[in-house]
Amino acid sequence: MIESPVHTVQIAVAGNPNSGKTTLFNALTGLRMKVANYPGVTVEKREGVLSGTQITLLDLPGVYSLSARSPDEEIARDVLQGRLPGTRRPDAILLVLDASNLDRNLYLATQIIEFGTPVVVACNMIDVAAQRGLRVDCEALSTRLGVPVVPTIASTGQGLSELKALLIALPMQATATRSWRLPAAFEAAVDAVAARLRECGLVPTHAAPAGALLWLMDYLSGDAASRRSAERFLARLSRDRADGMRREAEALSQAIPDAASVAIEARYEWISSIASAVVRGHEGSDDAVDARSRAGTLTDRVDAVLTHRVFGPVVFAAVMFVLFLSIFAWAEPLMGLIEAGQTALAGVVSAHMNEGPLRSLLTDGIIAGVGTVLIFFPQICILFFCLALLEDTGYMARAAFIMDRLMSGVGLHGKSFIPLLSSYACAIPGILATRTIEDRRDRFTTILIAPLMSCSARLPVYIVVIAAVFGERTLLKAGVMFSMYALGTLTAMGLALLFKKTLFAGPRPAFILELPPYHLPKLGGLLRTTWDRAKLFLTNAGTIIFAVCVVIWALSYFPRTSEADFSPEATAQLASMADADVGDRENLIASERLRLSYLGRTGRLIEPVLEPLGFDWRIGVGVLSSFLAREVFVGTMGITFAVGEADEQSVALRERLADATWPDGRRLMTPLTGIGLMVFYVLACQCVSTLAVVKKETGSWRWPAMMFAYMSVMAYVAALAVHQIGGRMGWGV
Amino acid sequence: MIAFLDDAQTHRNLAELSPGEHCRVVGISEGGGIRHRLLEMGLTRGAAVQMIRVAPLGDPIELQVRGYRLSVRKAEAATVMVEMTTHRHSISS
């Protein structure tokens, strides 16, 4: 652990999801904040400075409990215990409670208070509680919990100055007590484990009893992830101590079967007694709940429509349509602008430099590389904004509620729907959106199938190929286009089932989801979340994408050849051209140079492998360069087919493709070859950016490697099957 | 035996409730991780629960428990044994 030279006070901000924790954090820190990921996981680490002080605030992930079942929970718990490498044990904790839902919030709160780190409680959203007829007596709560409690409304700033004063003046000594009792055998086990924890020195003395209880519950919970976490802790101890702790846990499970449940219920019993004493209008004290449910809160009235059997799915479809449109269409002008800017900049550089490797590196390597990173930026910003909006309003949970039935049909979670839908625009924001899925197996399955959704970069490929082989038959063209989207989607669903049965086999993860009250989000908070996440994309994945772009540039640029190296055919063709055909000459030279580059040589080298698919080396080079990004396919085809610069509207390219032949005069682009080529593009993972993002999101190269391998093999086999079976049958030749 | 039959009449699982019905948790039949998560979310013995609604496609369901809204699949809800109450009963005890 690296200690900064000046010991600044660090306060961790903890609380349940939907407790207004992040709003409070933003209000306390102002704009000075940095966002990163915790090492190895994609849990966001947000740090800021308490405005006007030297105190740093660390926003912990929102969790319901300190059991270590999800990465979020494990991070929160490791930070609080000072066990996370690179993050100092906080000097104090700001605990945010949702006053309208005190029972469940107190579960986490009491777990944290028992660790003995100084705590200040913000009893937040007292306005929401008041609307529901609940009044929290904060003084009484403070007495019961033994820590200061401040009533706050983070969204309006009420109570924040008092809270800030308390955080600054916080007494830095700790008193750890647990005010409720467990059965005697359980208490004895906690004491015994606590004694061993004190000996090992990994846990501060006063936190040992709370640490012991958490460890015992994880060890005995019957949940695989918790058990693994408990074992990981033991791995840091000497063998004797670890065995000793295991023996204590086993003895406890003999004496009290399902001890973890006993502990949870005992804690809740105590919490209920606190809540009914300090909350007026509490379920246990009078019938406010009854009155409330009859009158119906605003959320209830909204949900009566938004989760209605008929209107619910209709509204959901409309919301998803707007979301999809915003990524797919509204980003388009901005992407055009970035492309135009890239072209203009490259033009300026070309005009001011002599031709040579340096100019080419600048224009086709560096500027193009930056462009490839930035081109995703508008889509990503828009998607992150939409996601933050859905999340902050509370609709995201309803989306999962509505879609879960459909997604569970292929073994996925309701939360997998939005990432997959986003992937039709671009897999990158889609994969980034899987962060809301807690279960690792569900999340990784969703990530692995996301690139099969036909993204916007495949569209130009479909357009060019369909136009080249199907001419003017509009209905047929539309049908073929639709089939490509359907093929990707159905393959993804089939693979989701397969992955959940093989790679990610195990008990079906539970769907346990809070449906928070609807809430009007603040634009400032939304923009901030959007920017923080988009920035992470630029710094994390952007660097990898950029590097690969430069490498591919080098492969297509070197070795430099002169006209003396050209093939006899090309030389003859050049000689036959009139000097006036400058454009045609240049196109032919560019095409010949690409053929002789490392990339072109590879294309020709693998031609025997591609020929059974019906592709010649020219298509091969297009396919190869597309592994960088599918966007370059059309441009590359423009060069290999010697028509110069081309886009998907290019008539010249379309005609050249339609007329192209094999050396023996057979037609190259038969409808069958076209279908095979498109099937290849549907199924292949031709996007370095996606792979870079998968690496960042999964924390290992193993998953992008596996994704690349399975998709490439599948694409090859499918395209081969199309060409060979179709060819034998005499279809579309 | 009679007591058992009596139990069978009043005890149901959470997945069998109709929207608007009130009940109290008696226990969770299945062990393991899901049980602890349900307990930690507040579905402890004696907790008052109201069934709110079923999702448009028939699963999952939405519950009111401890002052908040919780959604679980029917498969998980079926592991939660409950006894039916009118809302008045849950308050008086």
Side-chain angles (χ1 to χ4, degrees), chain A residues 51 53 81 121 141 154 160 182 251 276 280 312 327 329 343-344 360 410 421 427 474 482 509 537:
Chain A
S51 31
T53 70
Q81 298 191 68
V121 169
L141 183 60
L160 293 198
L182 289 157
S276 52
R280 253 197 249 140
I327 317 171
T343 315
S360 181
V410 289
L421 180 81
T474 312
F482 176 79
F537 162 78

Side-chain angles (χ1 to χ4, degrees), chain A residues 663-732:
Chain A
D664 60 13
R666 271 181 302 133
R667 200 171 148 217
L668 176 64
M669 265 297 182
T670 61
L672 192 63
T673 310
I675 298 278
L677 183 60
M678 285 190 287
V679 165
F680 190 89
Y681 271 82
V682 170
L683 301 176
C685 183
Q686 296 165 299
C687 183
V688 168
S689 312
T690 298
L691 295 171
V693 168
V694 173
K695 194 262 158 181
K696 283 293 168 193
E697 293 298 303
T698 59
S700 124
W701 280 109
R702 199 171 126 216
W703 295 107
M706 134 93 197
M707 175 189 272
F708 182 77
Y710 99 76
M711 288 180 70
S712 302
V713 169
M714 197 167 66
Y716 184 85
V717 171
L720 182 73
V722 167
H723 195 76
Q724 294 302 323
I725 297 173
R728 304 268 148 85
M729 299 297 194
W731 293 330

Side-chain angles (χ1 to χ4, degrees), chain A residues 425-676:
Chain A
C426 177
I428 292 161
I431 288 166
L432 294 172
T434 62
R435 288 181 184 184
T436 56
I437 307 171
E438 293 99 13
D439 183 80
R440 180 178 165 277
R441 287 176 294 145
D442 279 348
R443 177 159 184 249
F444 280 23
T445 307
T446 311
I447 289 177
L448 282 178
I449 63 168
L452 285 167
M453 307 297 157
S454 277
C455 66
S456 56
R458 285 173 173 107
L459 198 56
V461 181
Y462 300 160
I463 291 175
V464 165
V465 175
I466 289 177
V469 298
F470 294 109
E472 297 304 316
R473 284 170 287 176
T474 312
L475 212 61
L476 179 66
K477 280 160 73 176
V480 171
M481 181 77 93
F482 176 79
S483 313
M484 291 306 138
Y485 277 84
L487 174 67
T489 310
L490 294 176
T491 311
M493 295 303 125
L495 283 171
L497 268 180
L498 181 72
F499 288 151
K500 291 291 295 230
K501 292 239 160 76
T502 55
L503 270 178
F504 303 112
R508 192 170 77 148
F511 179 90
I512 296 176
L513 182 71
E514 181 183 2
L515 300 174
Y518 287 108
H519 158 257
L520 207 62
K522 283 187 147 183
L523 185 64
L526 293 179
L527 291 176
R528 192 163 160 169
T529 310
T530 307
W531 172 240
D532 290 342
R533 293 183 179 163
K535 209 168 60 181
L536 270 185
F537 162 78
L538 278 190
T539 50
N540 281 346
T543 39
I544 303 180
I545 300 170
F546 174 75
V548 175
C549 286
V550 174
V551 170
I552 295 274
W553 163 81
L555 288 177
S556 62
Y557 186 79
F558 293 110
R560 259 346 247 166
T561 45
S562 67
E563 293 187 19
D565 306 315
F566 287 2
S567 68
E569 295 85 12
T571 316
Q573 223 179 324
L574 275 176
S576 70
M577 277 180 182
D579 282 346
D581 295 339
V582 185
D584 285 351
R585 282 185 76 86
E586 274 180 4
N587 290 343
L588 190 61
I589 291 173
S591 160
E592 188 63 11
R593 281 204 166 140
L594 183 58
R595 191 179 73 89
L596 293 169
S597 70
Y598 291 120
L599 192 65
R601 289 180 197 189
T602 315
R604 283 181 291 149
L605 193 72
I606 62 165
E607 201 183 63
V609 183
L610 294 179
E611 214 197 305
L613 276 52
F615 308 163
D616 72 347
W617 74 267
R618 290 173 293 187
I619 300 177
V621 170
V623 169
L624 275 185
S625 61
S626 295
F627 278 98
L628 171 67
R630 302 174 181 95
E631 285 88 339
V632 306
F633 175 77
V634 176
T636 311
M637 297 301 272
I639 301 175
T640 56
F641 285 89
V643 291
E645 297 221 336
D647 62 24
E648 68 270 21
Q649 306 302 334
S650 163
V651 178
L653 176 61
R654 212 175 282 172
E655 287 172 353
R656 196 67 69 92
L657 272 176
D659 296 341
T661 57
W662 288 92
D664 60 13
R666 271 181 302 133
R667 200 171 148 217
L668 176 64
M669 265 297 182
T670 61
L672 192 63
T673 310
I675 298 278

Side-chain angles (χ1 to χ4, degrees), chain A residues 182 186 216-217 220 249 252-253 256-264, chain B residues 36:
Chain A
L182 289 157
F186 206 145
L216 279 169
M217 288 178 68
L220 297 175
L252 172 59
S253 79
I256 306 173
D258 201 9
S261 296
V262 170
I264 297 170
Chain B
H36 296 126

Side-chain angles (χ1 to χ4, degrees), chain A residues 304-317 395 402, chain B residues 56:
Chain A
V305 178
L306 293 191
T307 57
H308 183 268
R309 190 173 301 189
V310 179
F311 303 123
V314 171
V315 174
F316 177 76
Y395 191 69
I402 292 171

Side-chain angles (χ1 to χ4, degrees), chain A residues 65 67 69 101 103-104 107 132 221 223 258 260-261 265 268 272 283 287 290 292 294 300 303-304 307-308 401-402 404-405 412 508-515, chain B residues 32-42 44-45 48 50 53-62 64 66-73 75-76 87-88 91:
Chain A
S65 142
S67 323
R69 270 174 309 238
N101 179 10
D103 282 51
R104 204 206 57 222
Y107 187 84
R132 297 205 199 161
S221 85
D223 178 79
D258 201 9
S261 296
E265 302 215 272
Y268 258 119
S272 298
E283 297 190 28
D287 54 359
D290 198 30
R292 188 174 74 221
R294 248 188 261 131
D300 271 328
D303 261 343
T307 57
H308 183 268
F401 180 67
I402 292 171
D404 184 65
R405 178 68 189 272
L412 289 174
R508 192 170 77 148
F511 179 90
I512 296 176
L513 182 71
E514 181 183 2
L515 300 174
Chain B
I34 291 178
R35 171 191 206 145
H36 296 126
R37 266 190 86 183
L38 292 172
L39 286 173
E40 287 191 328
M41 296 303 278
T44 55
R45 208 172 314 140
Q50 187 189 358
R53 62 170 64 84
V54 181
L57 299 175
D59 200 20
I61 58 173
E62 179 179 345
Q64 166 94 14
R66 293 188 186 266
Y68 80 101
R69 293 299 168 82
L70 176 69
S71 172
V72 293
R73 286 194 189 132
E76 281 112 39
H87 194 217
R88 297 284 147 195
I91 281 155

Side-chain angles (χ1 to χ4, degrees), chain A residues 57-113:
Chain A
L57 291 186
L58 172 65
D59 191 15
L60 293 178
V63 294
Y64 295 110
S65 142
L66 290 183
S67 323
R69 270 174 309 238
S70 71
D72 280 5
E73 286 173 337
E74 201 165 1
I75 293 274
R77 167 237 217 115
D78 283 355
V79 169
L80 292 176
Q81 298 191 68
R83 291 210 307 234
L84 196 75
T87 305
R88 212 177 65 203
R89 181 166 194 271
D91 301 295
I93 293 157
L94 168 57
L95 199 55
V96 188
L97 303 185
D98 171 1
S100 70
N101 179 10
L102 208 55
D103 282 51
R104 204 206 57 222
N105 277 259
L106 280 174
Y107 187 84
L108 175 78
T110 55
Q111 278 188 322
I112 289 177
I113 291 169

